[in-house]
Amino acid sequence: MISAQTIVNQLIHQNAPYSPKTEGTAFAPVNIALIKYWGKRNNALNLPVTDSLSIGLRTLGTTTSIRLHQGQDIIYLNNERLPFDHPFAQRTSRYLDLFRRQPNDGFMVMTKNDVPTGAGLASSASGYAALVLALNDLFQWQLDKTQLSILARIGSGSACRSLWDGLVHWHAGQQDDGLDSYATPLVYQLPTLRIGLLTLSNKTKPVSSRIGMQQTVHGLSLYPAWKTMVDTHLTQITQAFEKQDINGIGKISEHNALAMHATMLSASPALCYFLPETLATLQTLWSAREAGLNCWATLDAGPNVKLLFEAETAHDVKKLFPDINIIQPFVS
Ligand code: 2P0
């Protein structure tokens, strides 16, 4: 099995001049998948079973700065210094191990999320994308976006999609080394699309996506049907993008998200990220839709709900869900 270190060494030429700056900084947007990534063919390299497709939230994301220093890593999350054994610090340091020249090389990382960490609002995606961009800035690697997408994916799968605003397609690839598994931006613009974030819980989810995916893929579950469905949804959603059909996009996205949760429920032991509030929100939405509201839901590995709708519907959606945070992913 090819290791993450081998891939990193291949991408960052070890003989390249070593001239780090004092500090590297970067911002990367959160991305919300319309066609979800759920299930890996290689856990060490975060190689997915299927393609996926996302939209960047442009103004919401992670800002990270990084410096070199001697000794143990120092990690700040949202202005708070984390203890060395904090799971976030441990995972970040394990990833940074891939980029140390000497074992004693430490990093000081300061990272700030605009969304709650680990609550299914894709903070690990913007987090690892911002970290890779900040490392690229610090070390002046001058890697291209494909190479950066591969490095971000090794940190967290969905991070490979957070290097762009707008619509982004992650190609699953087929190679064992994953050098064909990266994201590319799509040309379609949807200036009237709005995404509404309904934060129902800020708590860190009890089962990480990482473990949840393994639980769903292995053993008897509906997972084989999920793979076929993703192919169909990718074809359908591309046609909807071409027609700028936001209701079509919403309908396919909601179907895809609920199908992903159905595969989780079909695993043994079953996995359920919904809270009672999640179901109540969906039922409110479905009733409103029956009454004529054009609005659709998508959900990730957590209890929070994201809504997709046209700008002209924003007023009605806000009336139904007063706490909603409405984002305009494309500049008009
Ligand atoms: C997605 N999710 O496509 C899907 C939908 C959650 C549900 O990508 O193990 O944090 O780091 O590769 O990227 C969450 O998975 O998992 C995710 P790892 P990641 O957005």
Side-chain angles (χ1 to χ4, degrees), residues 31-33 35-38 40 46 52-54 91 122 124-125 128 153 155-159 161 170 205 209-211 213 260-261 264 299-301:
N31 76 73
I32 303 290
I35 306 298
K36 308 292 184 188
Y37 150 52
W38 196 254
K40 302 183 197 193
N46 294 327
S52 58
L53 210 147
S54 65
R91 184 172 162 191
S124 79
Y128 279 90
R153 188 248 300 145
S156 181
S158 53
R161 300 185 309 229
W170 176 8
K205 56 201 173 198
S209 301
R210 206 151 270 214
I211 303 296
M213 286 188 204
M260 176 186 72
H261 283 275
M264 299 177 193
L299 304 101
D300 293 294

PDB file of all heavy atoms in Angstrom, residues 31-33 35-38 40 46 52-54 91 122 124-125 128 153 155-159 161 170 205 209-211 213 260-261 264 299-301, ligand 1:
ATOM      1  N   ASN A  31     -17.325  24.018   1.817  1.00  0.00           N
ATOM      2  CA  ASN A  31     -18.112  23.538   0.677  1.00  0.00           C
ATOM      3  C   ASN A  31     -19.224  22.621   1.157  1.00  0.00           C
ATOM      4  O   ASN A  31     -19.060  21.897   2.134  1.00  0.00           O
ATOM      5  CB  ASN A  31     -17.225  22.868  -0.385  1.00  0.00           C
ATOM      6  CG  ASN A  31     -16.771  21.465  -0.012  1.00  0.00           C
ATOM      7  OD1 ASN A  31     -17.555  20.517  -0.028  1.00  0.00           O
ATOM      8  ND2 ASN A  31     -15.476  21.332   0.326  1.00  0.00           N
ATOM      9  N   ILE A  32     -20.356  22.733   0.481  1.00  0.00           N
ATOM     10  CA  ILE A  32     -21.503  21.871   0.789  1.00  0.00           C
ATOM     11  C   ILE A  32     -21.675  20.934  -0.397  1.00  0.00           C
ATOM     12  O   ILE A  32     -21.812  21.397  -1.543  1.00  0.00           O
ATOM     13  CB  ILE A  32     -22.801  22.707   0.946  1.00  0.00           C
ATOM     14  CG1 ILE A  32     -22.643  23.787   2.018  1.00  0.00           C
ATOM     15  CG2 ILE A  32     -24.008  21.799   1.208  1.00  0.00           C
ATOM     16  CD1 ILE A  32     -22.569  23.302   3.438  1.00  0.00           C
ATOM     17  N   ALA A  33     -21.655  19.635  -0.139  1.00  0.00           N
ATOM     18  CA  ALA A  33     -21.811  18.688  -1.250  1.00  0.00           C
ATOM     19  C   ALA A  33     -23.278  18.602  -1.668  1.00  0.00           C
ATOM     20  O   ALA A  33     -24.168  18.495  -0.820  1.00  0.00           O
ATOM     21  CB  ALA A  33     -21.290  17.321  -0.835  1.00  0.00           C
ATOM     22  N   ILE A  35     -23.866  16.390  -4.362  1.00  0.00           N
ATOM     23  CA  ILE A  35     -23.763  14.929  -4.537  1.00  0.00           C
ATOM     24  C   ILE A  35     -22.655  14.508  -3.573  1.00  0.00           C
ATOM     25  O   ILE A  35     -21.505  14.937  -3.707  1.00  0.00           O
ATOM     26  CB  ILE A  35     -23.396  14.557  -5.998  1.00  0.00           C
ATOM     27  CG1 ILE A  35     -24.377  15.196  -7.000  1.00  0.00           C
ATOM     28  CG2 ILE A  35     -23.329  13.034  -6.164  1.00  0.00           C
ATOM     29  CD1 ILE A  35     -25.814  14.767  -6.887  1.00  0.00           C
ATOM     30  N   LYS A  36     -23.002  13.679  -2.608  1.00  0.00           N
ATOM     31  CA  LYS A  36     -22.123  13.471  -1.441  1.00  0.00           C
ATOM     32  C   LYS A  36     -20.987  12.483  -1.665  1.00  0.00           C
ATOM     33  O   LYS A  36     -21.116  11.541  -2.453  1.00  0.00           O
ATOM     34  CB  LYS A  36     -22.951  12.948  -0.254  1.00  0.00           C
ATOM     35  CG  LYS A  36     -24.173  13.764   0.098  1.00  0.00           C
ATOM     36  CD  LYS A  36     -23.832  15.120   0.657  1.00  0.00           C
ATOM     37  CE  LYS A  36     -25.090  15.861   1.091  1.00  0.00           C
ATOM     38  NZ  LYS A  36     -24.790  17.250   1.448  1.00  0.00           N
ATOM     39  N   TYR A  37     -19.938  12.716  -0.892  1.00  0.00           N
ATOM     40  CA  TYR A  37     -18.814  11.756  -0.756  1.00  0.00           C
ATOM     41  C   TYR A  37     -19.122  10.920   0.475  1.00  0.00           C
ATOM     42  O   TYR A  37     -19.200  11.449   1.584  1.00  0.00           O
ATOM     43  CB  TYR A  37     -17.537  12.593  -0.590  1.00  0.00           C
ATOM     44  CG  TYR A  37     -16.390  12.023   0.226  1.00  0.00           C
ATOM     45  CD1 TYR A  37     -15.867  10.750  -0.012  1.00  0.00           C
ATOM     46  CD2 TYR A  37     -15.784  12.807   1.215  1.00  0.00           C
ATOM     47  CE1 TYR A  37     -14.785  10.282   0.719  1.00  0.00           C
ATOM     48  CE2 TYR A  37     -14.696  12.345   1.952  1.00  0.00           C
ATOM     49  CZ  TYR A  37     -14.201  11.078   1.700  1.00  0.00           C
ATOM     50  OH  TYR A  37     -13.127  10.619   2.421  1.00  0.00           O
ATOM     51  N   TRP A  38     -19.339   9.626   0.274  1.00  0.00           N
ATOM     52  CA  TRP A  38     -19.577   8.759   1.436  1.00  0.00           C
ATOM     53  C   TRP A  38     -19.018   7.381   1.129  1.00  0.00           C
ATOM     54  O   TRP A  38     -19.610   6.627   0.369  1.00  0.00           O
ATOM     55  CB  TRP A  38     -21.080   8.693   1.790  1.00  0.00           C
ATOM     56  CG  TRP A  38     -21.275   8.148   3.173  1.00  0.00           C
ATOM     57  CD1 TRP A  38     -21.725   6.892   3.510  1.00  0.00           C
ATOM     58  CD2 TRP A  38     -20.984   8.803   4.405  1.00  0.00           C
ATOM     59  NE1 TRP A  38     -21.717   6.743   4.869  1.00  0.00           N
ATOM     60  CE2 TRP A  38     -21.275   7.898   5.454  1.00  0.00           C
ATOM     61  CE3 TRP A  38     -20.493  10.071   4.740  1.00  0.00           C
ATOM     62  CZ2 TRP A  38     -21.100   8.222   6.802  1.00  0.00           C
ATOM     63  CZ3 TRP A  38     -20.307  10.385   6.077  1.00  0.00           C
ATOM     64  CH2 TRP A  38     -20.621   9.469   7.079  1.00  0.00           C
ATOM     65  N   LYS A  40     -14.920   5.115   1.302  1.00  0.00           N
ATOM     66  CA  LYS A  40     -13.555   5.215   0.756  1.00  0.00           C
ATOM     67  C   LYS A  40     -13.104   3.882   0.184  1.00  0.00           C
ATOM     68  O   LYS A  40     -13.441   2.830   0.733  1.00  0.00           O
ATOM     69  CB  LYS A  40     -12.577   5.592   1.871  1.00  0.00           C
ATOM     70  CG  LYS A  40     -12.925   6.885   2.565  1.00  0.00           C
ATOM     71  CD  LYS A  40     -11.890   7.257   3.613  1.00  0.00           C
ATOM     72  CE  LYS A  40     -12.503   8.288   4.544  1.00  0.00           C
ATOM     73  NZ  LYS A  40     -11.540   8.929   5.401  1.00  0.00           N
ATOM     74  N   ASN A  46      -7.538   8.702   1.789  1.00  0.00           N
ATOM     75  CA  ASN A  46      -8.882   9.267   1.587  1.00  0.00           C
ATOM     76  C   ASN A  46      -9.297   9.213   0.113  1.00  0.00           C
ATOM     77  O   ASN A  46      -9.714  10.224  -0.473  1.00  0.00           O
ATOM     78  CB  ASN A  46      -8.961  10.722   2.095  1.00  0.00           C
ATOM     79  CG  ASN A  46      -8.794  10.800   3.597  1.00  0.00           C
ATOM     80  OD1 ASN A  46      -9.200   9.891   4.322  1.00  0.00           O
ATOM     81  ND2 ASN A  46      -8.197  11.872   4.078  1.00  0.00           N
ATOM     82  N   SER A  52     -17.917  13.153  -6.381  1.00  0.00           N
ATOM     83  CA  SER A  52     -18.875  13.973  -5.631  1.00  0.00           C
ATOM     84  C   SER A  52     -18.829  15.392  -6.200  1.00  0.00           C
ATOM     85  O   SER A  52     -17.917  15.733  -6.964  1.00  0.00           O
ATOM     86  CB  SER A  52     -18.564  13.962  -4.135  1.00  0.00           C
ATOM     87  OG  SER A  52     -17.257  14.429  -3.902  1.00  0.00           O
ATOM     88  N   LEU A  53     -19.808  16.180  -5.798  1.00  0.00           N
ATOM     89  CA  LEU A  53     -19.940  17.519  -6.384  1.00  0.00           C
ATOM     90  C   LEU A  53     -20.398  18.507  -5.323  1.00  0.00           C
ATOM     91  O   LEU A  53     -21.302  18.193  -4.550  1.00  0.00           O
ATOM     92  CB  LEU A  53     -20.998  17.377  -7.472  1.00  0.00           C
ATOM     93  CG  LEU A  53     -20.873  18.286  -8.663  1.00  0.00           C
ATOM     94  CD1 LEU A  53     -21.367  17.571  -9.882  1.00  0.00           C
ATOM     95  CD2 LEU A  53     -21.711  19.493  -8.370  1.00  0.00           C
ATOM     96  N   SER A  54     -19.749  19.655  -5.265  1.00  0.00           N
ATOM     97  CA  SER A  54     -20.062  20.572  -4.161  1.00  0.00           C
ATOM     98  C   SER A  54     -20.164  22.013  -4.634  1.00  0.00           C
ATOM     99  O   SER A  54     -19.817  22.342  -5.776  1.00  0.00           O
ATOM    100  CB  SER A  54     -18.974  20.490  -3.093  1.00  0.00           C
ATOM    101  OG  SER A  54     -17.761  20.962  -3.632  1.00  0.00           O
ATOM    102  N   ARG A  91      -4.771  15.377  15.383  1.00  0.00           N
ATOM    103  CA  ARG A  91      -4.983  15.085  13.952  1.00  0.00           C
ATOM    104  C   ARG A  91      -4.199  16.077  13.087  1.00  0.00           C
ATOM    105  O   ARG A  91      -3.588  15.696  12.086  1.00  0.00           O
ATOM    106  CB  ARG A  91      -6.489  15.140  13.635  1.00  0.00           C
ATOM    107  CG  ARG A  91      -6.798  14.760  12.213  1.00  0.00           C
ATOM    108  CD  ARG A  91      -8.280  14.621  11.954  1.00  0.00           C
ATOM    109  NE  ARG A  91      -8.541  14.668  10.524  1.00  0.00           N
ATOM    110  CZ  ARG A  91      -9.732  14.773   9.985  1.00  0.00           C
ATOM    111  NH1 ARG A  91     -10.803  14.827  10.753  1.00  0.00           N
ATOM    112  NH2 ARG A  91      -9.885  14.810   8.675  1.00  0.00           N
ATOM    113  N   ALA A 122     -18.899  20.880   7.579  1.00  0.00           N
ATOM    114  CA  ALA A 122     -17.740  20.788   6.681  1.00  0.00           C
ATOM    115  C   ALA A 122     -16.565  21.657   7.081  1.00  0.00           C
ATOM    116  O   ALA A 122     -15.855  22.180   6.236  1.00  0.00           O
ATOM    117  CB  ALA A 122     -18.167  21.099   5.247  1.00  0.00           C
ATOM    118  N   SER A 124     -13.867  20.590   8.476  1.00  0.00           N
ATOM    119  CA  SER A 124     -12.592  19.914   8.178  1.00  0.00           C
ATOM    120  C   SER A 124     -12.219  20.139   6.720  1.00  0.00           C
ATOM    121  O   SER A 124     -11.041  20.175   6.379  1.00  0.00           O
ATOM    122  CB  SER A 124     -12.637  18.421   8.518  1.00  0.00           C
ATOM    123  OG  SER A 124     -13.292  17.681   7.531  1.00  0.00           O
ATOM    124  N   ALA A 125     -13.210  20.342   5.851  1.00  0.00           N
ATOM    125  CA  ALA A 125     -12.914  20.596   4.434  1.00  0.00           C
ATOM    126  C   ALA A 125     -12.205  21.938   4.276  1.00  0.00           C
ATOM    127  O   ALA A 125     -11.096  22.010   3.736  1.00  0.00           O
ATOM    128  CB  ALA A 125     -14.198  20.563   3.617  1.00  0.00           C
ATOM    129  N   TYR A 128      -8.575  21.838   6.227  1.00  0.00           N
ATOM    130  CA  TYR A 128      -7.383  21.248   5.588  1.00  0.00           C
ATOM    131  C   TYR A 128      -7.022  21.970   4.292  1.00  0.00           C
ATOM    132  O   TYR A 128      -5.839  22.048   3.927  1.00  0.00           O
ATOM    133  CB  TYR A 128      -7.554  19.738   5.396  1.00  0.00           C
ATOM    134  CG  TYR A 128      -7.245  19.030   6.694  1.00  0.00           C
ATOM    135  CD1 TYR A 128      -8.245  18.789   7.633  1.00  0.00           C
ATOM    136  CD2 TYR A 128      -5.942  18.681   7.026  1.00  0.00           C
ATOM    137  CE1 TYR A 128      -7.966  18.207   8.856  1.00  0.00           C
ATOM    138  CE2 TYR A 128      -5.642  18.089   8.248  1.00  0.00           C
ATOM    139  CZ  TYR A 128      -6.652  17.852   9.159  1.00  0.00           C
ATOM    140  OH  TYR A 128      -6.350  17.280  10.374  1.00  0.00           O
ATOM    141  N   ARG A 153      -6.733  16.611   0.094  1.00  0.00           N
ATOM    142  CA  ARG A 153      -7.514  15.364   0.200  1.00  0.00           C
ATOM    143  C   ARG A 153      -6.868  14.373   1.180  1.00  0.00           C
ATOM    144  O   ARG A 153      -7.552  13.668   1.916  1.00  0.00           O
ATOM    145  CB  ARG A 153      -7.644  14.748  -1.210  1.00  0.00           C
ATOM    146  CG  ARG A 153      -8.579  13.571  -1.312  1.00  0.00           C
ATOM    147  CD  ARG A 153      -7.810  12.271  -1.612  1.00  0.00           C
ATOM    148  NE  ARG A 153      -7.088  12.351  -2.842  1.00  0.00           N
ATOM    149  CZ  ARG A 153      -5.904  11.767  -3.026  1.00  0.00           C
ATOM    150  NH1 ARG A 153      -5.300  11.086  -2.060  1.00  0.00           N
ATOM    151  NH2 ARG A 153      -5.292  11.876  -4.184  1.00  0.00           N
ATOM    152  N   GLY A 155      -5.388  15.191   3.816  1.00  0.00           N
ATOM    153  CA  GLY A 155      -5.766  15.678   5.155  1.00  0.00           C
ATOM    154  C   GLY A 155      -7.198  15.316   5.497  1.00  0.00           C
ATOM    155  O   GLY A 155      -7.496  14.781   6.565  1.00  0.00           O
ATOM    156  N   SER A 156      -8.111  15.609   4.574  1.00  0.00           N
ATOM    157  CA  SER A 156      -9.522  15.274   4.757  1.00  0.00           C
ATOM    158  C   SER A 156     -10.134  15.232   3.356  1.00  0.00           C
ATOM    159  O   SER A 156      -9.945  16.183   2.580  1.00  0.00           O
ATOM    160  CB  SER A 156     -10.216  16.339   5.607  1.00  0.00           C
ATOM    161  OG  SER A 156     -11.565  15.993   5.805  1.00  0.00           O
ATOM    162  N   GLY A 157     -10.827  14.140   3.048  1.00  0.00           N
ATOM    163  CA  GLY A 157     -11.283  13.934   1.666  1.00  0.00           C
ATOM    164  C   GLY A 157     -11.938  15.171   1.059  1.00  0.00           C
ATOM    165  O   GLY A 157     -11.505  15.687   0.015  1.00  0.00           O
ATOM    166  N   SER A 158     -12.977  15.663   1.741  1.00  0.00           N
ATOM    167  CA  SER A 158     -13.760  16.757   1.162  1.00  0.00           C
ATOM    168  C   SER A 158     -12.972  18.061   1.043  1.00  0.00           C
ATOM    169  O   SER A 158     -13.407  18.987   0.355  1.00  0.00           O
ATOM    170  CB  SER A 158     -15.016  16.987   2.008  1.00  0.00           C
ATOM    171  OG  SER A 158     -14.650  17.162   3.357  1.00  0.00           O
ATOM    172  N   ALA A 159     -11.796  18.139   1.684  1.00  0.00           N
ATOM    173  CA  ALA A 159     -10.976  19.348   1.600  1.00  0.00           C
ATOM    174  C   ALA A 159     -10.472  19.590   0.177  1.00  0.00           C
ATOM    175  O   ALA A 159     -10.210  20.734  -0.203  1.00  0.00           O
ATOM    176  CB  ALA A 159      -9.790  19.257   2.563  1.00  0.00           C
ATOM    177  N   ARG A 161     -12.087  19.715  -2.339  1.00  0.00           N
ATOM    178  CA  ARG A 161     -13.071  20.530  -3.080  1.00  0.00           C
ATOM    179  C   ARG A 161     -13.083  21.978  -2.598  1.00  0.00           C
ATOM    180  O   ARG A 161     -13.761  22.807  -3.185  1.00  0.00           O
ATOM    181  CB  ARG A 161     -14.486  19.936  -2.908  1.00  0.00           C
ATOM    182  CG  ARG A 161     -14.641  18.496  -3.414  1.00  0.00           C
ATOM    183  CD  ARG A 161     -16.107  18.051  -3.304  1.00  0.00           C
ATOM    184  NE  ARG A 161     -16.624  18.295  -1.994  1.00  0.00           N
ATOM    185  CZ  ARG A 161     -17.292  17.416  -1.232  1.00  0.00           C
ATOM    186  NH1 ARG A 161     -17.523  16.204  -1.695  1.00  0.00           N
ATOM    187  NH2 ARG A 161     -17.736  17.744  -0.044  1.00  0.00           N
ATOM    188  N   TRP A 170     -15.250  16.555  -7.607  1.00  0.00           N
ATOM    189  CA  TRP A 170     -14.126  15.700  -7.156  1.00  0.00           C
ATOM    190  C   TRP A 170     -14.195  14.394  -7.942  1.00  0.00           C
ATOM    191  O   TRP A 170     -15.169  13.653  -7.831  1.00  0.00           O
ATOM    192  CB  TRP A 170     -14.236  15.452  -5.663  1.00  0.00           C
ATOM    193  CG  TRP A 170     -13.209  14.514  -5.063  1.00  0.00           C
ATOM    194  CD1 TRP A 170     -12.103  13.980  -5.658  1.00  0.00           C
ATOM    195  CD2 TRP A 170     -13.208  14.002  -3.723  1.00  0.00           C
ATOM    196  NE1 TRP A 170     -11.412  13.185  -4.786  1.00  0.00           N
ATOM    197  CE2 TRP A 170     -12.072  13.184  -3.587  1.00  0.00           C
ATOM    198  CE3 TRP A 170     -14.062  14.181  -2.626  1.00  0.00           C
ATOM    199  CZ2 TRP A 170     -11.781  12.511  -2.397  1.00  0.00           C
ATOM    200  CZ3 TRP A 170     -13.758  13.515  -1.439  1.00  0.00           C
ATOM    201  CH2 TRP A 170     -12.635  12.694  -1.325  1.00  0.00           C
ATOM    202  N   LYS A 205     -20.180  16.011  16.509  1.00  0.00           N
ATOM    203  CA  LYS A 205     -20.974  14.792  16.280  1.00  0.00           C
ATOM    204  C   LYS A 205     -20.361  13.591  17.000  1.00  0.00           C
ATOM    205  O   LYS A 205     -19.133  13.493  17.113  1.00  0.00           O
ATOM    206  CB  LYS A 205     -21.101  14.535  14.792  1.00  0.00           C
ATOM    207  CG  LYS A 205     -19.798  14.429  14.051  1.00  0.00           C
ATOM    208  CD  LYS A 205     -19.996  14.683  12.570  1.00  0.00           C
ATOM    209  CE  LYS A 205     -18.657  14.743  11.858  1.00  0.00           C
ATOM    210  NZ  LYS A 205     -18.721  15.375  10.563  1.00  0.00           N
ATOM    211  N   SER A 209     -17.136  11.357  10.536  1.00  0.00           N
ATOM    212  CA  SER A 209     -17.435  10.877   9.174  1.00  0.00           C
ATOM    213  C   SER A 209     -16.543   9.684   8.845  1.00  0.00           C
ATOM    214  O   SER A 209     -16.952   8.726   8.211  1.00  0.00           O
ATOM    215  CB  SER A 209     -17.160  11.964   8.146  1.00  0.00           C
ATOM    216  OG  SER A 209     -17.920  13.086   8.410  1.00  0.00           O
ATOM    217  N   ARG A 210     -15.302   9.807   9.276  1.00  0.00           N
ATOM    218  CA  ARG A 210     -14.294   8.781   9.012  1.00  0.00           C
ATOM    219  C   ARG A 210     -14.767   7.410   9.473  1.00  0.00           C
ATOM    220  O   ARG A 210     -14.767   6.442   8.717  1.00  0.00           O
ATOM    221  CB  ARG A 210     -13.051   9.189   9.810  1.00  0.00           C
ATOM    222  CG  ARG A 210     -11.769   8.706   9.287  1.00  0.00           C
ATOM    223  CD  ARG A 210     -10.678   9.679   9.654  1.00  0.00           C
ATOM    224  NE  ARG A 210     -10.536  10.673   8.605  1.00  0.00           N
ATOM    225  CZ  ARG A 210      -9.363  11.220   8.268  1.00  0.00           C
ATOM    226  NH1 ARG A 210      -8.277  10.859   8.918  1.00  0.00           N
ATOM    227  NH2 ARG A 210      -9.287  12.104   7.305  1.00  0.00           N
ATOM    228  N   ILE A 211     -15.210   7.328  10.718  1.00  0.00           N
ATOM    229  CA  ILE A 211     -15.689   6.054  11.280  1.00  0.00           C
ATOM    230  C   ILE A 211     -17.037   5.692  10.658  1.00  0.00           C
ATOM    231  O   ILE A 211     -17.295   4.534  10.315  1.00  0.00           O
ATOM    232  CB  ILE A 211     -15.833   6.171  12.826  1.00  0.00           C
ATOM    233  CG1 ILE A 211     -14.500   6.587  13.462  1.00  0.00           C
ATOM    234  CG2 ILE A 211     -16.359   4.880  13.446  1.00  0.00           C
ATOM    235  CD1 ILE A 211     -13.376   5.596  13.308  1.00  0.00           C
ATOM    236  N   MET A 213     -18.202   6.336   7.729  1.00  0.00           N
ATOM    237  CA  MET A 213     -18.059   5.787   6.367  1.00  0.00           C
ATOM    238  C   MET A 213     -17.665   4.314   6.428  1.00  0.00           C
ATOM    239  O   MET A 213     -18.204   3.483   5.706  1.00  0.00           O
ATOM    240  CB  MET A 213     -16.987   6.557   5.589  1.00  0.00           C
ATOM    241  CG  MET A 213     -17.416   7.925   5.153  1.00  0.00           C
ATOM    242  SD  MET A 213     -16.185   8.645   4.050  1.00  0.00           S
ATOM    243  CE  MET A 213     -16.529  10.377   4.301  1.00  0.00           C
ATOM    244  N   MET A 260     -28.035   8.976   1.069  1.00  0.00           N
ATOM    245  CA  MET A 260     -26.810   8.744   1.859  1.00  0.00           C
ATOM    246  C   MET A 260     -27.178   8.374   3.300  1.00  0.00           C
ATOM    247  O   MET A 260     -26.633   7.416   3.865  1.00  0.00           O
ATOM    248  CB  MET A 260     -25.935   9.991   1.842  1.00  0.00           C
ATOM    249  CG  MET A 260     -24.699   9.867   2.717  1.00  0.00           C
ATOM    250  SD  MET A 260     -23.739  11.390   2.835  1.00  0.00           S
ATOM    251  CE  MET A 260     -24.786  12.405   3.858  1.00  0.00           C
ATOM    252  N   HIS A 261     -28.128   9.110   3.872  1.00  0.00           N
ATOM    253  CA  HIS A 261     -28.530   8.801   5.253  1.00  0.00           C
ATOM    254  C   HIS A 261     -29.229   7.440   5.317  1.00  0.00           C
ATOM    255  O   HIS A 261     -29.117   6.730   6.325  1.00  0.00           O
ATOM    256  CB  HIS A 261     -29.400   9.929   5.824  1.00  0.00           C
ATOM    257  CG  HIS A 261     -28.564  11.110   6.219  1.00  0.00           C
ATOM    258  ND1 HIS A 261     -27.945  11.207   7.443  1.00  0.00           N
ATOM    259  CD2 HIS A 261     -28.194  12.209   5.531  1.00  0.00           C
ATOM    260  CE1 HIS A 261     -27.238  12.330   7.489  1.00  0.00           C
ATOM    261  NE2 HIS A 261     -27.380  12.955   6.339  1.00  0.00           N
ATOM    262  N   MET A 264     -26.674   4.830   5.657  1.00  0.00           N
ATOM    263  CA  MET A 264     -26.147   4.795   7.040  1.00  0.00           C
ATOM    264  C   MET A 264     -27.119   4.037   7.946  1.00  0.00           C
ATOM    265  O   MET A 264     -26.705   3.229   8.781  1.00  0.00           O
ATOM    266  CB  MET A 264     -25.994   6.203   7.589  1.00  0.00           C
ATOM    267  CG  MET A 264     -25.035   7.079   6.834  1.00  0.00           C
ATOM    268  SD  MET A 264     -25.089   8.706   7.625  1.00  0.00           S
ATOM    269  CE  MET A 264     -24.234   9.692   6.427  1.00  0.00           C
ATOM    270  N   LEU A 299     -28.296  17.478   3.772  1.00  0.00           N
ATOM    271  CA  LEU A 299     -27.765  17.229   5.126  1.00  0.00           C
ATOM    272  C   LEU A 299     -26.464  16.458   5.008  1.00  0.00           C
ATOM    273  O   LEU A 299     -26.350  15.570   4.157  1.00  0.00           O
ATOM    274  CB  LEU A 299     -28.728  16.382   5.949  1.00  0.00           C
ATOM    275  CG  LEU A 299     -30.146  16.891   6.115  1.00  0.00           C
ATOM    276  CD1 LEU A 299     -31.073  16.162   5.157  1.00  0.00           C
ATOM    277  CD2 LEU A 299     -30.620  16.678   7.525  1.00  0.00           C
ATOM    278  N   ASP A 300     -25.515  16.793   5.863  1.00  0.00           N
ATOM    279  CA  ASP A 300     -24.239  16.069   5.841  1.00  0.00           C
ATOM    280  C   ASP A 300     -24.158  15.130   7.042  1.00  0.00           C
ATOM    281  O   ASP A 300     -25.179  14.734   7.559  1.00  0.00           O
ATOM    282  CB  ASP A 300     -23.105  17.078   5.741  1.00  0.00           C
ATOM    283  CG  ASP A 300     -23.182  17.766   4.381  1.00  0.00           C
ATOM    284  OD1 ASP A 300     -22.972  17.060   3.380  1.00  0.00           O
ATOM    285  OD2 ASP A 300     -23.514  18.958   4.312  1.00  0.00           O
ATOM    286  N   ALA A 301     -22.942  14.809   7.478  1.00  0.00           N
ATOM    287  CA  ALA A 301     -22.817  13.867   8.580  1.00  0.00           C
ATOM    288  C   ALA A 301     -23.008  14.603   9.899  1.00  0.00           C
ATOM    289  O   ALA A 301     -22.076  14.761  10.688  1.00  0.00           O
ATOM    290  CB  ALA A 301     -21.466  13.187   8.512  1.00  0.00           C
TER     291      ALA A 301
HETATM  292  C1  2P0 B   1     -19.403  15.413   1.722  1.00  0.00           C
HETATM  293  N1  2P0 B   1     -19.132  14.429   3.999  1.00  0.00           N
HETATM  294  O1  2P0 B   1     -19.355  15.089   0.541  1.00  0.00           O
HETATM  295  C2  2P0 B   1     -19.762  14.334   2.710  1.00  0.00           C
HETATM  296  C3  2P0 B   1     -21.216  14.257   2.989  1.00  0.00           C
HETATM  297  C4  2P0 B   1     -20.050  14.165   5.057  1.00  0.00           C
HETATM  298  C5  2P0 B   1     -21.325  13.790   4.404  1.00  0.00           C
HETATM  299  O2  2P0 B   1     -17.126  14.787   3.175  1.00  0.00           O
HETATM  300  O3  2P0 B   1     -12.486  11.048   6.539  1.00  0.00           O
HETATM  301  O4  2P0 B   1     -14.603  15.036   6.753  1.00  0.00           O
HETATM  302  O5  2P0 B   1     -11.671  13.413   6.408  1.00  0.00           O
HETATM  303  O6  2P0 B   1     -12.118  12.119   4.320  1.00  0.00           O
HETATM  304  O7  2P0 B   1     -14.078  14.780   4.281  1.00  0.00           O
HETATM  305  C6  2P0 B   1     -17.211  14.462   5.454  1.00  0.00           C
HETATM  306  O8  2P0 B   1     -16.099  13.684   5.296  1.00  0.00           O
HETATM  307  O9  2P0 B   1     -14.002  12.796   5.819  1.00  0.00           O
HETATM  308  C7  2P0 B   1     -17.814  14.566   4.129  1.00  0.00           C
HETATM  309  P1  2P0 B   1     -12.499  12.334   5.758  1.00  0.00           P
HETATM  310  P2  2P0 B   1     -14.619  14.198   5.530  1.00  0.00           P
HETATM  311  O10 2P0 B   1     -19.211  16.590   2.105  1.00  0.00           O
END
